[in-house]
Amino acid sequence: SFHVRTEGGRWSHDADRSVTSASVVKAMLMAAYLNEPGVRRRELAPADLRLLRPMIRRSDNAAASRVRDIVGNDALARLAARAGMTRFATHALWGLSRITARDQTRLWLRFERFVAHRHRDTAMRLLRAIVPRQRWGVGRVRLPPGWQLHFKGGWGSGRGLVDHQVALLRRGDERLALAILTTGSPSHAYAKQTLRGVAERLLRKLSG
């Protein structure tokens, strides 16, 4: 399933299909953490960044579990409500939270609006800095000059059962949010090629 959202248009296939989030939910965990009352109004300390950097840049699961234990599922539910997400559901295991492609683009089109103002630059910088070994799919799409990519991937056990990517592309005032959610691929390598192929087709008119 996929959903593309701009300020003026929507394009989708099976966009309300509910699937487990895997690590896609880590972007929501980051936003919820940066919105915490004890975090939102102060400068980030090294301890904060030791949680957020590995969780986003290299998808560290232990860091994600610590962040979720700090913010709780209620903070994720509040974030989803603010973003207008209608089908998001939390789970005791954060990777089993339920998402849809349509809901994810609701969040990602204006992602920074849902992050405490003083921490927006940090959040967007981390979503641009995914480590090279995890920059598959949309991360391999050649974008026209001027476009900046922020994204987060999610995959299960590395067998292709769950492989997702959600992204925001920005160029000046232009924005495009993209969510591609795949399940049941025969392998992780197959799923990565699927993500790239779908992303290339959905983004091929960016230059226009």
Side-chain angles (χ1 to χ4, degrees):
S1 55
F2 65 78
H3 196 263
V4 179
R5 183 183 299 268
T6 68
E7 298 289 5
R10 312 284 187 271
W11 301 266
S12 66
H13 171 72
D14 205 10
D16 295 316
R17 181 173 69 112
S18 176
V19 298
T20 56
S21 69
S23 293
V24 161
V25 79
K26 290 172 182 172
M28 296 181 67
L29 285 168
M30 174 179 67
Y33 182 89
L34 294 173
N35 290 335
E36 280 286 288
V39 178
R40 62 183 296 119
R41 294 184 178 89
R42 63 167 173 81
E43 293 294 326
L44 294 179
D48 301 311
L49 295 174
R50 282 196 294 271
L51 284 176
L52 299 180
R53 283 175 177 155
M55 182 178 74
I56 299 299
R57 296 195 63 233
R58 55 182 176 85
S59 211
D60 184 89
N61 289 335
S65 294
R66 290 196 294 273
V67 171
R68 204 286 299 273
D69 289 345
I70 292 168
V71 303
N73 279 345
D74 286 348
L76 291 178
R78 288 193 298 272
L79 173 63
R82 284 181 60 204
M85 301 166 71
T86 61
R87 295 173 182 254
F88 177 76
T90 61
H91 192 279
L93 301 176
W94 49 261
L96 298 182
S97 302
R98 306 293 297 190
I99 61 172
T100 69
R102 192 186 311 274
D103 273 350
Q104 285 297 302
T105 63
R106 287 181 173 128
L107 173 71
W108 278 75
L109 186 64
R110 293 285 177 180
F111 188 91
E112 68 270 32
R113 288 187 179 178
F114 304 106
V115 177
H117 189 272
R118 74 182 303 154
H119 300 316
R120 290 176 180 176
D121 287 346
T122 297
M124 303 312 288
R125 184 167 60 250
L126 290 176
L127 293 169
R128 290 196 304 271
I130 305 302
V131 295
R133 66 180 180 274
Q134 294 178 6
R135 297 187 72 86
W136 56 70
V138 70
R140 296 290 184 183
V141 175
R142 181 172 295 182
L143 300 175
W147 285 97
Q148 192 172 65
L149 173 67
H150 312 72
F151 76 103
K152 185 71 189 81
W155 58 99
S157 59
R159 292 181 295 164
L161 299 180
V162 174
D163 278 275
H164 311 318
Q165 287 186 329
V166 290
L168 167 65
L169 292 92
R170 297 192 295 179
R171 183 176 67 178
D173 293 333
E174 296 177 281
R175 287 172 174 259
L176 182 149
L178 168 68
I180 307 171
L181 312 180
T182 75
T183 56
S185 296
S187 69
H188 184 43
Y190 183 103
K192 290 193 291 185
Q193 289 299 318
T194 299
L195 290 167
R196 180 173 181 173
V198 173
E200 285 177 339
R201 286 159 177 80
L202 293 175
L203 300 176
R204 65 187 174 186
K205 292 187 178 181
L206 278 184
S207 59

